[in-house]
């Protein structure tokens, strides 16, 4: 991975591509002054997450123990950006004020809690795949209610709504999120809800070729006629009813420390809505 006899004491920013999680303690020793770290998804040698989760836990514990026993860890990572599982396996034991995580899905959600417990972020950004905002203790709202989240002043959620979420009610889900934020000292919130194209079950137009009357051997490409749009799925209907302006008002009322709210809703289908509001000098929220 790196030259074994080299040390990089002045390097502050590091980007790792396709790095093995087993190399992470080595990274700490070779780059002792890193403040900004980004990691692409780690190369997986395991068959599946659930089958090898015990091995993941063991690797994380070994990495943490190595840092403690050798007294060798970063004092403070200002920012981590990248793979959720990669950070879990690397297991830095220092605080990480800015935490920007990719790959937050149902399968890997159980490793998010331990990461937040250790990192104690002030700003948290999650790329979320699916509706993970239910009442379960393993879902994101419950994780945000835990005592270790008291340092959060900024939260960004980018949510990709998939075909598997077709029965979800986003109004209920976002209400659950709202309830989990009331005890946090949040100053800025950014939510982006994106309905994927595969929720639209309308058959796609197809291309066919017909003889060209003006050319004996020629062909003319023609598109099939448009199909009647398929009915909205339940999750699409709930997204259609979701009111970003009303939700921003509810956020401002529930979280008195809020200064900025940004909400983007992409869907259903081609519909798009945007809400930007800031708290004015008189304490009221003003739409931009």
């Amino acid at each position: 991975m790196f030259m074994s006899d080299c040390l990089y004491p002045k390097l502050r920013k590091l980007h790792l591509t396709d790095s093995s999680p087993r190399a992470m303690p080595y990274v700490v020793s070779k780059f002792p002054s890193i403040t900004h770290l980004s990691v692409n998804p780690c190369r997986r040698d395991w068959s599946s997450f659930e089958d090898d989760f015990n091995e993941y836990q063991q690797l994380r514990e070994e990495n943490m123990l190595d840092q403690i026993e050798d007294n060798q860890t970063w004092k403070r990572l200002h920012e981590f950006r990248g793979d959720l599982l990669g950070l879990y396996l690397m297991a830095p034991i220092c605080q990480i004020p800015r935490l920007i995580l990719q790959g937050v899905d149902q399968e890997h959600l159980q490793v998010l809690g331990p990461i937040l417990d250790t990192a104690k972020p002030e700003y948290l950004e999650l790329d979320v795949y699916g509706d993970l905002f239910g009442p379960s203790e393993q879902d994101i709202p419950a994780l945000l209610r835990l005592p270790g989240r008291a340092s959060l002043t900024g939260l960004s959620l980018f949510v990709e709504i998939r075909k598997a979420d077709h029965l979800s009610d986003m109004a209920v889900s976002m209400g659950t999120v709202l309830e989990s934020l009331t005890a946090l000292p949040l100053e800025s919130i950014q939510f982006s809800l994106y309905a994927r194209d595969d929720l639209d079950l309308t058959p796609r137009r197809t291309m066919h070729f017909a003889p060209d009357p003006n050319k004996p051997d020629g062909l003319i490409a023609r598109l099939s006629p448009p199909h009647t749009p398929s009915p909205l799925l339940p999750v699409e209907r709930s997204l259609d009813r979701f009111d970003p302006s009303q939700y921003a008002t509810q956020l401002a009322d529930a979280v008195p420390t809020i200064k900025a709210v940004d909400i983007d809703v992409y869907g259903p289908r081609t519909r798009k809505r945007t809400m930007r509001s800031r708290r004015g000098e008189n304490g009221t929220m003003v739409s931009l």
Side-chain angles (χ1 to χ4, degrees), residues 93-285:
I93 58 176
C94 61
Q95 183 186 7
I96 309 176
R98 285 184 59 84
L99 201 53
I100 302 167
L101 296 175
Q102 303 160 358
V104 184
D105 57 18
Q106 186 68 56
E107 184 178 44
H108 299 98
L109 193 59
Q110 59 186 302
V111 306
L112 179 59
I115 287 175
L116 298 180
D117 290 340
T118 304
K120 295 179 174 58
E122 298 168 10
Y123 171 78
L124 176 63
E125 180 177 313
L126 301 176
D127 278 347
V128 181
Y129 303 145
D131 180 5
L132 307 182
F133 307 106
S136 167
E137 292 301 311
Q138 298 298 322
D139 284 327
I140 289 176
L143 296 177
L144 292 175
R145 287 194 295 267
L146 296 177
R149 316 303 176 247
S151 57
L152 268 181
T153 59
L155 176 66
S156 295
L157 298 176
F158 298 91
V159 184
E160 185 177 278
I161 304 168
R162 300 178 166 190
K163 192 174 181 179
D165 307 306
H166 66 281
L167 295 178
S168 293
D169 187 326
M170 294 312 298
V172 173
S173 298
M174 296 307 291
T176 307
V177 173
L178 179 62
E179 293 173 0
S180 71
L181 304 180
T182 55
L184 298 178
L186 289 168
E187 297 180 1
S188 65
I189 291 178
Q190 181 179 8
F191 291 160
S192 179
L193 306 178
Y194 169 69
R196 278 181 37 148
D197 290 342
D198 61 0
L199 286 167
D200 183 356
L201 302 182
T202 305
R204 300 294 183 253
R205 299 178 70 182
T206 58
M207 182 80 70
H208 68 277
F209 295 91
D212 187 342
N214 299 318
K215 297 179 181 179
D217 297 325
L219 295 173
I220 299 177
R222 300 183 188 277
L223 275 174
S224 63
H227 295 275
T228 301
S230 65
L232 295 178
L233 296 175
V235 69
E236 291 181 294
R237 294 198 296 270
S238 71
L239 196 63
D240 196 37
R241 295 191 300 267
F242 181 72
D243 186 342
S245 297
Q246 182 182 24
Y247 192 75
T249 300
Q250 293 172 342
L251 277 172
D253 292 341
V255 187
T257 53
I258 280 291
K259 298 178 181 178
V261 177
D262 297 308
I263 301 176
D264 296 301
V265 181
Y266 300 91
R269 313 291 164 94
T270 60
R271 190 179 183 194
K272 177 183 176 181
R273 288 156 288 161
T274 298
M275 175 64 192
R276 304 281 183 268
S277 62
R278 301 292 182 268
R279 195 177 293 278
E281 296 180 357
N282 62 357
T284 61
M285 297 297 287

Side-chain angles (χ1 to χ4, degrees), residues 5 14 35 41 48 65 145 197:
D5 57 346
L14 179 65
T35 59
S48 71
L65 188 61
R145 287 194 295 267
D197 290 342

